[in-house]
Amino acid sequence: MKKFSPLKLIHLILMIGLMLCSCFSTVMYLGGFGPVVAGIDKSEAILNGCSTMAVTIMLLTGVIYLLHGYKKNAAVYYKTFILLLVLVNLMVIIMDVIYATMTGIIIIKCLLYAIKIILLLLLAFKKDLGPKNTWIIFYIVVAVDIAAFVVMLIIMAAGSFDNGNIIGVIAALIADVTLGLAIHGKYADKKSRGRI
């Protein structure tokens, strides 16, 4: 296995740890166990379970891509990671539209995630973005996630604590680091092959 820098090693450990937490949450939601599902109906618990399952698979593809050293032959994991990230963000919007009371703060949260989805789709499907434009999009994604994190803190301060939301916020920030490392690795690999 390729030797990792301390930063990448710590990040890998965080991803694996969060992946295990997401897997545990998936079992709790889909199995209808304990305080995780207290106060929510079965359909919401199932949707939350599907969301945390998507987070688990997303993190797994990120781990695989990292372990492959961001090479071209592992590019499918990069695209899959981004598309699963799109799916997770879409599910957050759907759950808010169906189950949350539509306050101004929830609408802002949904708009932030909609912007993030558009940016991620650009990263996944737009050909020849180039390093500069790719990094600009990445920084906007990070800014959107930080704004969404602040919104989530406001929502939780109002008394709407949710285990799934906490995991989702942490997963989003970890996913941003994963995405940044993947972009760096992708262009480093291209440069080594004389493609940029």
Side-chain angles (χ1 to χ4, degrees):
M1 188 176 80
K2 181 181 176 180
K3 188 175 179 181
F4 293 114
S5 68
L7 173 65
K8 286 184 182 177
L9 190 58
I10 289 167
H11 181 65
L12 182 63
I13 292 165
L14 283 172
M15 280 199 298
I16 292 169
L18 188 56
M19 189 173 65
L20 294 173
C21 289
S22 297
C23 188
F24 175 76
S25 291
T26 300
V27 172
M28 296 298 280
Y29 276 122
L30 296 181
F33 300 118
V36 172
V37 294
I40 61 174
D41 61 35
K42 189 172 183 179
S43 63
E44 187 176 357
I46 290 170
L47 202 50
N48 271 308
C50 291
S51 177
T52 53
M53 185 187 299
V55 170
T56 305
I57 299 167
M58 175 195 77
L59 289 165
L60 178 62
T61 59
V63 167
I64 293 169
Y65 188 55
L66 192 148
L67 291 175
H68 275 81
Y70 313 113
K71 299 295 183 189
K72 186 181 179 183
N73 61 2
V76 66
Y77 298 112
Y78 173 77
K79 190 169 280 191
T80 303
F81 174 81
I82 293 175
L83 292 177
L84 284 165
L85 198 47
V86 167
L87 176 63
V88 169
N89 284 275
L90 184 59
M91 291 178 83
V92 169
I93 294 172
I94 290 168
M95 285 188 286
D96 280 342
V97 168
I98 295 173
Y99 300 108
T101 304
M102 274 297 142
T103 61
I105 201 77
I106 296 293
I107 291 169
I108 290 169
K109 180 185 167 196
C110 290
L111 287 173
L112 287 169
Y113 281 113
I115 291 166
K116 184 178 173 185
I117 286 169
I118 293 165
L119 294 170
L120 290 171
L121 288 173
L122 279 173
L123 286 179
F125 294 112
K126 180 73 174 157
K127 299 269 186 202
D128 302 321
L129 274 172
K132 183 180 177 182
N133 290 331
T134 301
W135 282 114
I136 289 170
I137 290 172
F138 169 73
Y139 293 134
I140 297 170
V141 167
V142 172
V144 167
D145 272 334
I146 291 169
F149 177 70
V150 171
V151 167
M152 187 60 64
L153 289 177
I154 293 167
I155 292 168
M156 287 191 297
S160 300
F161 181 84
D162 183 341
N163 179 56
N165 284 334
I166 290 292
I167 288 175
V169 169
I170 296 169
L173 296 172
I174 296 286
D176 286 345
V177 179
T178 306
L179 184 58
L181 289 172
I183 290 168
H184 177 269
K186 173 185 175 180
Y187 284 109
D189 180 62
K190 278 191 170 188
K191 188 174 182 180
S192 72
R193 291 184 288 110
R195 297 296 301 272
I196 55 172

